[in-house]
Amino acid sequence: MVICTGTSLIDCIVTEAGSEAVAEDITLSPGGEAFNEAVWLASLGEEVLFCSAVGTDFAGDALRRVLAERGVMLSSDYGGRTPVSLLTVDRRGERKSKVSKAHNLEGWEPVLPADARPAFVTMASLFRPPFLDSAAALRFSRSAKAAGAYLLADTKLPKGADPQLADYRETLALLDFITPNETEAAHYTGCADPVEAARVFQSYGVKNVIVKLGERGAFVLPESGEGFFQPALPVACVDGIGAGDSFNAGLIHALITGASLREAAAFGTRCAARCVTMRGGIAAAGQIE
């Protein structure tokens, strides 16, 4: 089993066409880093429990329906509003987002089931709610390791806060994997070079660091051995939503099935390449041969 924690939401995706008044397309899509990971992992054949703040409102009902259709089990006791995001995607596939106060997930903290024995646990939104609170991140990390799981954290840039790596020192030391993108890695480490940024994360005790580089692939720094660059696959990008989440899902699935880290990074790249050929973070889930 894989347990995914972090954000889930509804994305309103506006695909720009060069006109201020008329978009090429406007769609609604379920999303959020943890949600995308969970759906992709289930599509790859993993048993998935999704622990997230899914409310009992219209947006939450839509998320529940999609999760049920995709075979993802949901654990949520959240009584607040389900977050909704506005995403704009330009003609190069680059995106910008706008969120509301509902994304703060006030009063909610994910808790692992007491009897859970997952192979992997993911924290898909480190440095953002529900893991903006470093104490909450540490409590969750300790429970994941106590359950015997490998622990992977993805990262997000802060909004309205300024978290520092030093604030998360104990959590970072518990991580088996961290997977920031290039911008996030530079922000938190102060190193524009992804190789140097990866080394900074390892200096805090993270075992394996993967810095995702978009169309240039990823840099992988293993716990032991030399780092390597995993090239991206050449595809026509429709939008980049969910690319990093699908990469993580592919990585985790491959590792669970016995792949080496190099093989797992290559499979994650395949998932990301397929993801970006369709609009929305989960549209391509289930289409990996």
Side-chain angles (χ1 to χ4, degrees):
M1 173 185 283
V2 181
I3 298 179
C4 298
T5 63
T7 55
S8 54
L9 47 86
I10 296 294
D11 285 326
C12 177
I13 306 170
V14 180
T15 305
E16 297 178 342
S19 167
E20 292 186 4
V22 180
E24 179 180 323
D25 194 23
I26 300 176
T27 59
L28 294 177
S29 177
E33 297 80 26
F35 182 95
N36 293 337
E37 279 185 0
V39 170
W40 271 88
L41 279 161
S43 77
L44 294 169
E46 298 297 336
E47 180 184 13
V48 183
L49 177 64
F50 182 41
C51 298
S52 187
V54 179
T56 55
D57 49 13
F58 179 83
D61 290 344
L63 292 175
R64 283 185 171 83
R65 183 174 64 253
V66 175
L67 291 169
E69 291 171 350
R70 296 288 187 140
V72 178
M73 296 177 289
L74 173 64
S75 173
S76 181
D77 57 358
Y78 187 56
R81 291 174 54 202
T82 305
V84 177
S85 291
L86 175 63
L87 290 177
T88 57
V89 183
D90 66 22
R91 284 175 289 179
R92 297 173 300 171
E94 298 296 324
R95 60 178 178 164
K96 295 181 180 179
S97 66
K98 183 173 289 188
V99 301
S100 71
K101 293 180 180 179
H103 288 70
N104 293 333
L105 308 180
E106 293 182 3
W108 183 78
E109 181 178 328
V111 177
L112 289 182
D115 59 348
R117 293 295 180 268
F120 259 87
V121 171
T122 73
M123 303 167 66
S125 309
L126 192 61
F127 311 126
R128 285 263 192 100
F131 298 121
L132 177 59
D133 180 353
S134 59
L138 180 58
R139 284 191 291 271
F140 186 84
S141 299
R142 284 174 170 167
S143 66
K145 297 309 294 180
Y150 287 103
L151 181 60
L152 178 148
D154 204 356
T155 65
K156 297 291 289 182
L157 291 176
K159 286 184 179 289
D162 188 26
Q164 304 293 315
L165 291 186
D167 301 331
Y168 293 78
R169 186 180 300 276
E170 292 180 87
T171 294
L172 292 169
L174 294 172
L175 296 180
D176 297 286
F177 298 88
I178 196 167
T179 60
N181 66 31
E182 188 173 15
T183 302
E184 294 157 356
H187 176 87
Y188 290 112
T189 67
C191 299
D193 181 354
V195 177
E196 294 302 318
R199 289 173 178 157
V200 171
F201 280 112
Q202 277 198 341
S203 75
Y204 279 86
V206 181
K207 294 181 177 65
N208 302 279
V209 182
I210 300 174
V211 181
K212 293 175 283 193
L213 306 174
E215 63 183 13
R216 294 184 289 122
F219 174 71
V220 182
L221 185 60
E223 180 180 10
S224 59
E226 296 294 322
F228 61 92
F229 282 91
Q230 173 63 47
L233 298 176
V235 294
C237 179
V238 174
D239 75 55
I241 296 169
D245 310 324
S246 59
F247 175 92
N248 283 358
L251 176 87
I252 291 168
H253 170 70
L255 290 171
I256 288 174
T257 56
S260 68
L261 184 54
R262 187 180 292 271
E263 292 167 336
F267 185 71
T269 298
R270 282 182 56 198
C271 293
R274 188 70 184 97
C275 178
V276 302
T277 63
M278 301 180 72
R279 290 193 177 97
I282 64 168
Q287 299 187 20
I288 301 296
E289 297 178 356

